[in-house]
Amino acid sequence: MLNHSLLYPVNNRCRTARTLDGLWKFQFDPTGCGAAQGWQKGLPDPISMPVPASFSDFFTTRAERDYCGDFWYETEFFVPADWQGRVLLRFGSITHRAVVYCNGVEITRHEGGFLPVVADLTGAAVRGGVNRVSVQANNELSESSLPCGAVKTLPNGTKLAKPYFDFYNYSGIQRSVWLVNCPAQAIEDYSVDYTLEGADALVHYTVRRGGDLPVRVRLLDAEGREVAAAEGAEGTLRVADARLWQVRNAYLYTLAITLGSGESPADEYTARVGIRTVEVRGTKILINGAPVYLRGFGKHEDFDVLGRGFSWAVAKRDFECMKWTGANCFRTSHYPYAEEWYQMADEEGFLIIDEVPAVGMMRSTHNFADAGMGKYTYFFETPTVPALLANHIAQVEEMIARDKNHPSVFAWSLFNEPETTSEYAQKYFTAVFEAARALDPQHRPMTGALEKNSAPNKCRCYQLCDFICLNRYYGWYISGAELEEAEAKFRAEMDQWAAKNLNVPFVFTEFGTDTLPTEHKLPSVMWSQEYQDEYMAMNFKVFDSYDFVQGELVWNFADFQTSEGIMRVNGNKKGIFTRQRQPKDVAFTFKRRWEALPLAGEEK
Ligand code: BDP
C-alpha cells in the first residue's frame, strides 16, 4: 500500500493548492557533481526553463537537446504564515527520477518519470517566508528502468540515451507542480466501485484518512443537488434512478467527502465521479452491461516545442480531433499521461486503456523493427530482472492508486510488446498481473499489448489477459507493399487464434503505416497517403471477418518524435493526423467507418 496521498490538488475551505508553473532555473550536471558541491542550496550558473515542458526542444544544439544524465531545476515559493497543517509539493511527474530538496534539505526520492512525486515539506518549509525547492533529476535509461533502454558513453564522457522504444526520451518537469496546504489529519485517498440494480446504482466507497475523525460522504448530481449520503469510512450510497456515465455521453456526479463534524470540518475533498460498470463477458467488452466496439487511437504525449509537456490547449485539440473521427477510446501508450487527460476523458465519455511505462522489454535498440523480423532475445533471464520487477510493480501500484476512480479508465495495460515466449517472461508477468489484480477496487480488466512474435502457438503471456491486445503491422513491417500476401499472412495468424476458441475479446492496439503528408502516388507506393488508405482497407476487412475482434486503436493518433535512425524521418509518421494536428487523407476514411459504427450498446 502506498503510504502517501496521490489525490489531485483541490481548493476548498480546508485545502489550498497553487501551481508553481512558470519559469524555473535549470542547469545540466554532466559529471553528477551537483549534490556534492551543494547545488541544492542554489544553482551556480543556471539558465531559465519553462515548467511544465520537456527541456529538449528549446535548445539549438544537439548536445543540449539530446542531453542525458543529471540535470537540476530550482525555484522559490512563498508559504503563507497562516498555513496550518501540512505543506506538500506535488509534481505531476519528473522524468525519469528525482531527488527533491527544500531549503537545501533532501525531502524525497522517486523513481519513474510518469507518475506524481509528492514531497512533504511540512518540517522543512518556512512559513511566512520564501523557500527554495531544488530538483536533481536524471533521464538515463537502463534494463531495470521503466521504460527500458541503455546509455552509451562516448570517449569524451558524453552520455547518450539509447531507448529500446520508439519515442524520443523527452525529460524534465513535464507536468504541473502544485504547492498544497492540507490539514494534518487529512483525507488521504478514496475509492469507488459500482453495482447497478435496475434503475438504481449502488456506489460502494472507502475513504483512507489520517487519524480517526468521523467521515461523511455525499453524492451530488450535476446541478449540485444531494442524491445520497452516508456516514463512515466505508459504505454504500444508493442512487435512485441513477444517470450513468455512458461512452461519449458522460454524466458526472460530485463525491464530497468531509472529515470531522459540524460547520467547520477538519478536511474536505471533492471529486467528480461517473457511475458505470465494466465487464468482459465471452468475446464482448461491456460498459453498463452493453457491448462496446472500441475505436480510436494509440497516442503519445508529444507536440512541437513542448515535447511531452502537458498543455491544456493541445489536449483540447486532440479531443476535438478524436471526436471528429467518431472515436470512443484511446490507449495511453506507452506510459500514464498527465492527469488532466483523464479528467477530460471523464467529461467527454472517452474510454481509456491506461498503460504502465513497461515498454522496451526486448533487448534491441530497434526492438519494434527487429521484432517484426523475428529477431529478439530472452529479456527476462538476466540479473537485472528482480530490480525491474520491483520497479514495474511499484509503478503499477502508483498508476492504479492515481487513476482508479476515473470512469474513463476501463482497463489497465501492464506491458507493451515485451518478449513473451520464454518461461522467464511467463513467470515475470504472472507476478506483475497478480500484484495488479490485488490493487484495483473496481477489478477492471487487465491486459497488455502483444507484438508479432507473441504468436498464438508461442506466446506464454496472453493467458494472463482478460482481453487480448495485438499490435500487428501486416502490410508494413510484414509484406510491406504486398497487401495480398500481407492479408493472407494476417488471416493465417487470426485463424490460429480463432482455432484456440479462447472466448475472449481481441482488440487491435496497433496497426498502421508511416505516411508523409507530402506524398501522393497513383498507383500507391509505401509512405504515400494512398498506401495508408489501402492498408487500412485491408486491415478493416480482416478485423470484420472475426467476430471476437472488438476494437481497433490505430497507430498513431498523430506523428511523433522518436530517436534518429534509418527507419524514421524526423520521427514516426504513422499519424492519422500530422504532428500539428491536421488530418492526413486517411483520417476521412476513419471518420466514415467509425461514424457508421454504433457508439456503444449495440453489436457491431
Ligand atoms: C510498435 C511499438 C510502437 C512503435 C510502433 C511503430 O509498440 O511504440 O512506435 O511499433 O513501429 O512496435 O511504429
Side-chain angles (χ1 to χ4, degrees):
M1 259 305 259
L2 286 182
N3 54 12
H4 60 282
S5 175
L6 291 187
L7 291 181
Y8 192 81
V10 296
N11 281 286
N12 58 37
R13 57 191 159 159
C14 305
R15 292 174 170 245
T16 307
R18 298 179 179 166
T19 100
L20 297 188
D21 294 356
L23 216 48
W24 288 44
K25 292 178 179 167
F26 179 88
Q27 191 166 346
F28 291 126
D29 181 8
T31 59
C33 67
Q37 293 189 1
W39 290 18
Q40 61 276 35
K41 300 195 178 91
L43 292 175
D45 190 18
I47 58 170
S48 62
M49 183 58 69
V51 169
S54 310
F55 64 72
S56 298
D57 286 351
F58 299 125
F59 289 112
T60 53
T61 69
R62 271 178 175 267
E64 292 165 298
R65 180 191 65 198
D66 297 337
Y67 178 84
C68 176
D70 283 2
F71 49 95
W72 291 69
Y73 282 82
E74 177 192 302
T75 198
E76 292 185 337
F77 59 94
F78 178 75
V79 177
D82 60 353
W83 275 14
Q84 313 280 313
R86 286 155 71 190
V87 179
L88 309 172
L89 258 190
R90 186 187 193 278
F91 300 81
S93 65
I94 308 171
T95 313
H96 292 287
R97 59 193 60 80
V99 186
V100 179
Y101 301 87
C102 178
N103 299 328
V105 178
E106 180 178 329
I107 306 294
T108 194
R109 293 172 175 248
H110 185 263
E111 173 68 32
F114 303 97
L115 288 157
V117 183
V118 182
D120 189 336
L121 311 183
T122 309
V126 176
R127 299 180 195 222
V130 172
N131 296 271
R132 176 190 296 116
V133 57
S134 315
V135 177
Q136 176 191 3
N138 174 283
N139 65 350
E140 291 172 35
L141 301 168
S142 74
E143 291 190 0
S144 56
S145 68
L146 265 69
C148 293
V151 171
K152 175 176 175 183
T153 307
L154 303 178
N156 68 2
T158 302
K159 291 179 195 161
L160 288 176
K162 293 288 165 189
Y164 291 181
F165 49 86
D166 186 34
F167 50 92
Y168 192 79
N169 189 37
Y170 280 122
S171 314
I173 302 180
Q174 305 181 125
R175 299 178 186 162
S176 284
V177 186
W178 294 86
L179 178 65
V180 176
N181 178 223
C182 71
Q185 294 200 347
I187 296 159
E188 305 281 353
D189 195 16
Y190 74 95
S191 46
V192 279
D193 185 20
Y194 310 101
T195 43
L196 305 181
E197 271 190 12
D200 298 354
L202 302 180
V203 182
H204 313 286
Y205 72 87
T206 58
V207 175
R208 180 160 67 84
R209 66 206 194 276
D212 55 3
L213 287 170
V215 178
R216 184 170 158 73
V217 171
R218 296 183 309 137
L219 195 72
L220 314 174
D221 68 13
E223 274 74 50
R225 286 182 301 246
E226 182 176 306
V227 294
E231 310 274 340
E234 51 190 284
T236 298
L237 303 163
R238 174 175 286 274
V239 187
D241 257 334
R243 273 202 51 192
L244 302 183
W245 184 95
Q246 301 281 18
V247 180
R248 294 290 312 274
N249 181 18
Y251 184 87
L252 296 173
Y253 289 90
T254 298
L255 186 76
I257 308 168
T258 48
L259 214 57
S261 44
E263 285 300 289
S264 50
D267 193 13
E268 195 168 64
Y269 190 82
T270 49
R272 300 179 83 195
V273 296
I275 299 176
R276 57 101 188 86
T277 61
V278 179
E279 192 190 337
V280 170
R281 196 188 303 154
T283 60
K284 301 281 188 263
I285 296 168
L286 308 179
I287 303 293
N288 301 325
V292 59
Y293 185 82
L294 308 177
R295 82 299 296 261
F297 304 93
K299 286 184 91 310
H300 265 298
E301 292 185 293
D302 175 279
F303 197 68
D304 280 334
V305 183
L306 304 175
R308 219 173 293 304
F310 178 75
S311 150
W312 281 108
V314 175
K316 175 71 181 167
R317 173 69 182 175
D318 284 10
F319 273 100
E320 291 308 312
C321 290
M322 288 196 287
K323 285 178 349 195
W324 174 82
T325 62
N328 63 8
C329 180
F330 63 94
R331 174 171 66 125
T332 68
S333 39
H334 294 303
Y335 37 81
Y337 290 3
E339 289 148 291
E340 294 81 1
W341 283 100
Y342 303 76
Q343 295 166 5
M344 291 175 92
D346 289 348
E347 281 189 17
E348 298 282 6
F350 268 79
L351 294 166
I352 291 180
I353 301 177
D354 203 1
E355 187 158 279
V356 77
V359 54
M361 295 181 161
M362 215 181 288
R363 194 160 298 99
S364 161
T365 44
H366 290 292
N367 70 304
F368 59 93
D370 286 354
M373 311 296 290
K375 286 191 251 163
Y376 63 98
T377 53
Y378 291 149
F379 192 83
F380 298 102
E381 56 178 338
T382 56
T384 47
V385 163
L388 179 68
L389 179 62
N391 195 2
H392 197 152
I393 290 175
Q395 296 199 37
V396 168
E397 184 177 2
E398 290 175 32
M399 172 177 80
I400 295 178
R402 190 193 74 162
D403 297 339
K404 61 181 184 285
N405 295 316
H406 287 289
S408 52
V409 175
F410 81 101
W412 309 105
S413 167
L414 304 183
F415 57 72
N416 182 70
E417 300 197 342
E419 181 276 299
T420 64
T421 58
S422 67
E423 61 186 286
Y424 313 101
Q426 185 179 352
K427 195 165 149 238
Y428 179 93
F429 284 108
T430 302
V432 172
F433 275 70
E434 265 174 22
R437 288 195 192 281
L439 292 166
D440 179 15
Q442 293 188 4
H443 307 291
R444 270 165 278 224
M446 308 261 168
T447 187
L450 297 164
E451 56 81 39
K452 169 75 173 62
N453 288 293
S454 302
N457 51 0
K458 287 192 353 217
C459 179
R460 298 171 78 147
C461 296
Y462 72 80
Q463 299 84 344
L464 296 165
C465 299
D466 297 312
F467 60 92
I468 294 178
C469 292
L470 302 180
N471 295 354
R472 292 294 183 273
Y473 290 92
Y474 291 100
W476 187 252
Y477 295 121
I478 299 162
S479 303
E482 295 185 30
L483 284 175
E484 268 176 41
E485 180 184 279
E487 179 173 346
K489 288 184 180 169
F490 198 176
R491 287 185 185 276
E493 182 188 343
M494 294 310 290
D495 290 344
Q496 282 185 36
W497 286 115
K500 287 184 163 303
N501 275 317
L502 296 174
N503 197 31
V504 293
F506 278 60
V507 173
F508 285 94
T509 34
E510 288 186 27
F511 57 101
T513 64
D514 287 271
T515 305
L516 293 175
T518 49
E519 296 310 305
H520 282 284
K521 195 123 184 167
L522 188 65
S524 72
V525 290
M526 289 173 81
W527 295 85
S528 70
Q529 302 225 34
E530 288 70 20
Y531 188 74
Q532 193 175 29
D533 218 65
E534 289 163 17
Y535 167 98
M536 295 305 170
M538 183 277 276
N539 274 259
F540 296 154
K541 259 198 292 167
V542 176
F543 301 163
D544 292 345
S545 317
Y546 298 87
D547 57 7
F548 54 84
V549 172
Q550 289 297 314
E552 52 194 58
L553 307 184
V554 65
W555 194 254
N556 187 283
F557 169 73
D559 294 347
F560 58 94
Q561 197 64 56
T562 64
S563 306
E564 294 170 73
I566 52 168
M567 302 278 292
R568 295 291 174 256
V569 185
N570 184 19
N572 187 309
K573 302 294 183 199
K574 293 196 186 68
I576 300 311
F577 292 84
T578 63
R579 202 179 188 210
Q580 292 70 38
R581 275 50 178 180
Q582 297 304 332
K584 295 183 191 169
D585 286 358
V586 80
F588 296 88
T589 302
F590 277 96
K591 182 174 170 61
R592 265 194 306 278
R593 173 173 167 86
W594 288 350
E595 284 187 337
L597 293 174
L599 254 190
E602 293 162 61
E603 311 277 330
K604 189 171 60 141

